[in-house]
Amino acid sequence: MATFRSSFSLLRMVEAARELTTAVDVLKDISAVEHIMGGYRDRLYGKGRPLVDALEEVARTAILHGDFDLAQRFQRFAAYARGDLFLEVLELHYDERARQRSEEYIRRYIAEGVDRAVTILEMLCQDNPEATAADARDLFRGLSKSVDQLGVEAGENGVRLSTLDLRRLQRFGHMEIFLRSLPQLSAEDLRLAEEVLADADAELLTRMLEFKARKAALDTLGAAVDDPDSSEGALHACLKKQEWIFGGAFVAELARRQYTPDTILDIPLLRADGSLHVVELKRANIESLVVRRSGHLMLGAPAHRAVSQAMNYLRTLDESRPEILAKYGVDARRASATVVVGHSQYVGGGITPSEVAETIRTFNSHNSRIEVITYETLLESAARMLALSSPQEETES
């Protein structure tokens, strides 16, 4: 069950976002959000599915105007209103005052911790004037091991914490769980990491992390394709939110998969011009992907059925274009499609991978809106694109 949320902070951030655009359509959609939330007087701040839909509508309209930063902002607003994102995350991104308060809070904690550490070292030196750095290290290690014995007592003499402080303590607990899951590094490892990070370019680090995440996603997809028992659902899970695998022509995977009552799309992608592209996924293990008839190679029945299904999707989208554009802000007229089906390693009848590729190229040369590719081709093209975007050269320099 969804837990919808709203707040004064969200309303303030929505109103601040109004200053970031001059597009009339976007401003109109922002006004619709403000109308649902209400004003400062009633303090009710309307929420629920209407608010989520209105926030997502602003994001879609912003995409149509090419303002992807504003679209991302309202997508995050919608995630908070839907109950998927903490308010603190939004504030750190879009509320300067909240970010400054958080930074000041952290600075005070660090200052207090350093002050306590100095006091402990002074006491150590008073008790043992000959104490060494090793003694100090052992002392702090002992203190760290005894932290679990500390606590906040309840009752008359206890300390009452505000809700905000309790939530901060919860976040510290989550951080502790994360830190405990990190691998243990040697002193040499830490020294090398410190040297690298000291000279690191933030943009390069971001690219390296993105490259690593994409490579992991591609490896996961490759493993699923190599598993002959993988279902369409398993392959779909590997490709979810990985629109980059399909090439640089797409800016995002759309959250909505159903635009007409009888059509549910596997992966709807958004082109840079705001038009829709449909990806239809089938199994990788298809023995009759390409067959030989009367000495000629041709696509087998499973591939033809998948293409027919994509054709029906495109026809339905064409017929419903005005309604889809008005309701969802996506241009579905003359949408295009990609059918991902089969892999040459599973094709029988002694047909080689090169013959599979040639047969599919011949088929595609006679189609304008639907392209058929194998998982083999998809993986190879994505791997080449990933290699071209690799930060390896910058890392070595």
Side-chain angles (χ1 to χ4, degrees):
M1 181 178 178
T3 304
F4 296 110
R5 295 181 295 196
S6 184
S7 64
F8 167 73
S9 296
L10 177 61
L11 178 59
R12 190 175 64 223
M13 286 185 278
V14 168
E15 292 179 340
R18 175 182 286 276
E19 306 300 323
L20 303 178
T21 182
T22 58
V24 176
D25 293 346
V26 178
L27 292 172
K28 180 180 177 181
D29 290 341
I30 292 177
S31 296
V33 172
E34 294 171 338
H35 177 73
I36 293 173
M37 294 192 69
Y40 297 106
R41 295 180 179 178
D42 51 28
R43 299 280 178 176
L44 295 177
Y45 310 124
K47 61 182 179 180
R49 175 54 58 185
L51 176 59
V52 174
D53 291 342
L55 291 167
E56 291 178 341
E57 183 66 26
V58 178
R60 284 190 289 267
T61 307
I63 289 176
L64 292 177
H65 285 273
D67 194 341
F68 299 113
D69 289 337
L70 188 65
Q72 184 184 55
R73 182 183 295 241
F74 274 88
Q75 286 170 347
R76 286 172 173 165
F77 290 170
Y80 162 71
R82 194 169 46 244
D84 297 336
L85 202 63
F86 288 119
L87 178 61
E88 287 82 355
V89 176
L90 292 186
E91 291 178 335
L92 290 177
H93 276 289
Y94 306 120
D95 190 323
E96 181 63 28
R97 286 182 295 178
R99 184 163 56 249
Q100 290 176 354
R101 287 197 303 268
S102 180
E103 291 175 353
E104 178 62 24
Y105 183 80
I106 293 173
R107 281 195 293 268
R108 289 182 179 179
Y109 258 86
I110 293 175
E112 183 177 353
V114 172
D115 183 65
R116 295 291 177 86
V118 171
T119 301
I120 292 172
L121 289 175
E122 289 176 345
M123 294 174 60
L124 173 64
C125 293
Q126 288 177 2
D127 295 339
N128 184 8
E130 305 299 327
T132 64
D135 295 327
R137 183 177 63 246
D138 292 340
L139 174 61
F140 279 110
R141 281 179 176 170
L143 289 173
S144 68
K145 292 180 179 179
S146 65
V147 167
D148 291 339
Q149 305 303 320
L150 303 178
V152 178
E153 295 295 334
E156 184 178 353
N157 298 323
V159 179
R160 290 185 176 273
L161 298 178
S162 67
T163 301
L164 181 60
D165 287 332
L166 285 172
R167 294 173 69 179
R168 282 173 173 160
L169 286 175
Q170 287 177 337
R171 289 206 302 275
F172 287 137
H174 297 159
M175 289 168 58
E176 180 185 6
I177 293 172
F178 168 74
L179 292 173
R180 286 183 177 180
S181 67
L182 292 177
Q184 297 298 316
L185 301 178
S186 66
E188 180 65 14
D189 292 332
L190 292 173
R191 184 187 66 79
L192 291 174
E194 187 177 44
E195 291 178 357
V196 171
L197 293 175
D199 299 325
D201 184 331
E203 181 180 356
L204 176 60
L205 287 175
T206 301
R207 288 182 57 197
M208 290 175 65
L209 290 172
E210 181 182 27
F211 176 82
K212 184 176 181 180
R214 288 186 171 186
K215 186 177 185 305
L218 202 60
D219 291 342
T220 301
L221 175 61
V225 170
D226 289 337
D227 182 357
D229 297 324
S230 289
S231 63
E232 294 176 16
L235 295 168
H236 188 187
C238 296
L239 287 165
K240 190 172 181 60
K241 298 301 180 184
Q242 301 294 337
E243 64 275 359
W244 68 272
I245 291 180
F246 298 96
F250 309 107
V251 297
E253 178 182 343
L254 297 172
R256 176 174 292 277
R257 295 174 57 198
Q258 185 170 11
Y259 292 91
T260 62
D262 56 349
T263 301
I264 300 179
L265 309 177
D266 283 348
I267 300 180
L269 300 178
L270 185 69
R271 292 185 178 275
D273 61 358
S275 62
L276 181 65
H277 183 85
V278 178
V279 177
E280 178 64 24
L281 301 177
K282 296 301 178 184
R283 289 175 58 92
N285 184 4
I286 298 179
E287 184 178 1
S288 58
L289 174 66
V290 173
V291 296
R292 197 184 302 273
R293 294 286 186 271
S294 302
H296 297 283
L297 294 173
M298 63 185 70
L299 289 185
H304 280 289
R305 284 195 295 268
V307 171
S308 297
Q309 185 178 356
M311 290 173 61
N312 288 329
Y313 286 164
L314 297 183
R315 175 185 54 79
T316 304
L317 293 170
D318 284 344
E319 295 171 351
S320 307
R321 187 256 184 175
E323 295 85 351
I324 295 174
L325 184 61
K327 190 172 183 179
Y328 305 114
V330 176
D331 192 351
R333 184 172 60 184
R334 303 298 296 173
S336 53
T338 297
V339 176
V340 188
V341 56
H343 192 290
S344 64
Q345 66 180 325
Y346 298 116
V347 177
I351 299 174
T352 66
S354 61
E355 288 176 323
V356 171
E358 181 63 29
T359 303
I360 292 178
R361 277 198 300 270
T362 301
F363 179 87
N364 286 332
S365 66
H366 294 80
N367 292 279
S368 59
R369 298 177 64 185
I370 300 176
E371 180 186 21
V372 177
I373 64 172
T374 64
Y375 285 95
E376 183 178 15
T377 300
L378 182 66
L379 287 166
E380 288 177 352
S381 61
R384 284 194 296 270
M385 183 170 62
L386 192 62
L388 291 173
S389 65
S390 170
Q392 182 65 32
E393 294 181 4
E394 293 88 338
T395 303
E396 291 175 354
S397 64

